[in-house]
Amino acid sequence: RKEQELDSKDAIILHQFSRPTNGVPSLSPFCLKMETYLRMADLPYQNYFDGKLSPQGKMPWIEYNHKKVSGTEFIIDFLEEKLGVNLNKHLGPHERAVSRAVTKMVEEHFYWTLAYCQWVENLHETQKMVSLFGPFSDLLKWILCHLTKGIVKREMYGHGIGRFSEEEMYRLMEKDMRTLAGLLGDKKYIMGQTVSTVDATVFGHLAQAMWTLPGTRPERLIKGELINLAMYCERIRRKFWPEWHHDDDNTLYESEESSEASKTYSPLQDFSFYSRTETFDEEGNSISQTPDTDYTGHSLFDSDVDMDEYRDHEQCK
């Protein structure tokens, strides 16, 4: 197949995997992290779902002014240097150190337990979400998922975490999730009332447990005992992903106003060009939108999630 020429002059081209079929933006925590970061920083970007890995064999990666950068940490450093954005400018030295420590715990430890749950234990459900089309799509999805399963198990073994039993890995996962829940507490975001880069990282990973692992231990934990993490995910989804609506949303996360508005959401679209402050309707017409309103124009409140109501509901089950 002849490759399409891309003009990345003064434009951020984001290469990532295709959208899954369940309405979640990505099955990759790092792809979701990167796209969420771009929205948090309000940087217009263009998605390119070619599935082609970077020269370093990484995904996602970007092109900007014909410069290719891979690895989410290096991409963020590059954008900060070239475009002057900085989501961490309000953080002090201690907070920056904590932020980096949390990022590394999530990306170098928690990620692998999620990958095991997604691509080994829950492979059958993950296979349903993979987006491939054509006469042999089912066979190709089966091959792709089982190849990925083998790669994940091999890399986990090399990392060291894959040498433990399944129960031991899940115990490590729970410790990481409880650490995040304890760090978040009742704050709006991980480092306080203002969003920072670590929130893109944490959200990209927790969203997998929240929306891509039905019936699994991480999903039960985040929607049960660690409900503040579920509230955190909903808060970020509503503010930075106004077009992302999940069919199985629990109305207990929503106020009456947002619950009614949710009925008018459209499926997540593959915008060829996206800016958080300007998006498109179903016909492709541009519509104005502020960072604090959703797809319907309703205000996004963080106080519409009632923990006591949710706990009462859980006790009634």
Side-chain angles (χ1 to χ4, degrees), residues 112-142:
W112 290 109
T113 58
L114 278 176
Y116 175 83
C117 190
Q118 197 170 39
W119 294 103
V120 180
E121 189 205 14
N122 209 44
L123 183 64
H124 181 67
E125 290 296 325
T126 302
Q127 184 175 325
K128 297 177 184 177
M129 304 176 195
V130 173
S131 178
L132 282 177
F133 303 97
F136 304 105
S137 60
D138 290 340
L139 175 61
L140 290 174
K141 284 200 292 185
W142 187 92

Side-chain angles (χ1 to χ4, degrees), residues 101 164 252:
F164 298 112
L252 288 173

